[in-house]
């Protein structure tokens, strides 16, 4: 299986299609804004069953209550660590491509999934740039493909390119490619 973003995207190109940019989301474990409240809450969540189980071990009185408390520990572990590890793994398998005709996203944890959007189907292109010049580009499309529900049930734009390095450069390339988009060859 190709490992570089370029190799992953290159295999998806159509005859005559020209690759303008390829890249990956930034790797590693990402800390997000909501973690400021979530982490202390989950540490408190996990401390109660942990202390109860440790106390039972110390008194050599391992009761069935310990088995009931284990799911609380597993939930806390997943929310604190597992979700971030899963997200990092997913991003490591993701490759983005921008061609003169479309945007290509190759991803998938268990199996390869390729999504393709024609440039002329993208609207409301928004750049979210961080101080380190990385960031996310969101768009909307008439088909509704680039929408998702957030935790409050609201419909929001799904990221097109998520946590990419030098996001302004990619944004400018996307706008230029969209302005110059050639119709697909049938």
């Amino acid at each position: 299986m190709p490992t570089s973003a370029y190799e992953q995207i290159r295999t998806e190109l159509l005859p005559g299609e020209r690759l303008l940019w390829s890249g990956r989301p930034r790797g590693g474990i990402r800390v997000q804004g909501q973690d400021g409240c979530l982490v202390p809450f989950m540490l408190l969540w996990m401390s109660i069953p942990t202390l109860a189980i440790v106390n039972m071990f110390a008194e050599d009185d391992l009761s069935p209550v310990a088995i009931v408390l284990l799911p609380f520990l597993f939930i806390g572990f997943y929310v604190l660590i597992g979700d971030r590890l899963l997200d990092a793994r997913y991003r490591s398998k993701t490759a983005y491509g921008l061609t003169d005709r479309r945007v290509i996203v190759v991803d998938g944890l268990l199996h390869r999934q390729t999504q393709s959007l024609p440039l002329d189907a993208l609207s409301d292109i928004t750049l979210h740039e961080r101080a380190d010049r990385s960031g996310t580009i969101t768009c909307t499309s008439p088909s509704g493909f680039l929408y998702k529900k957030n935790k409050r049930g609201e419909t929001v734009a799904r990221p097109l390119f998520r946590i990419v390095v030098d996001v302004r450069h990619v944004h400018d390339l996307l706008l230029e490619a969209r302005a110059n988009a050639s119709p697909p060859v049938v």
Side-chain angles (χ1 to χ4, degrees), residues 47-115:
S47 68
I48 295 167
T50 301
L51 291 173
I53 291 171
V54 166
N55 191 32
M56 286 179 208
F57 268 113
E59 294 177 3
D60 205 20
D61 178 30
L62 212 59
S63 68
V65 175
I67 294 171
V68 172
L69 294 174
L70 285 177
F72 290 96
L73 285 176
F74 291 133
I75 290 169
F77 176 78
Y78 176 77
V79 171
L80 275 177
I81 299 168
D83 187 42
R84 282 151 190 77
L85 292 174
L86 196 61
D87 178 59
R89 180 74 174 151
Y90 182 80
R91 282 184 282 113
S92 74
K93 298 277 191 181
T94 301
Y96 300 127
L98 173 63
T99 75
D100 56 343
R101 298 182 197 164
R102 61 193 171 126
V103 168
I104 303 168
V105 179
V106 177
D107 59 16
L109 281 174
L110 301 176
H111 58 84
R112 180 183 169 109
Q113 174 179 310
T114 302
Q115 301 169 13

Side-chain angles (χ1 to χ4, degrees), residues 128-150:
H128 305 274
E129 185 175 20
R130 296 179 178 179
D132 65 358
R133 296 180 43 190
S134 70
T136 298
I137 299 172
T138 58
C139 305
T140 58
S141 70
S143 67
F145 169 76
L146 291 173
Y147 293 103
K148 69 176 183 174
K149 296 278 187 185
N150 67 12

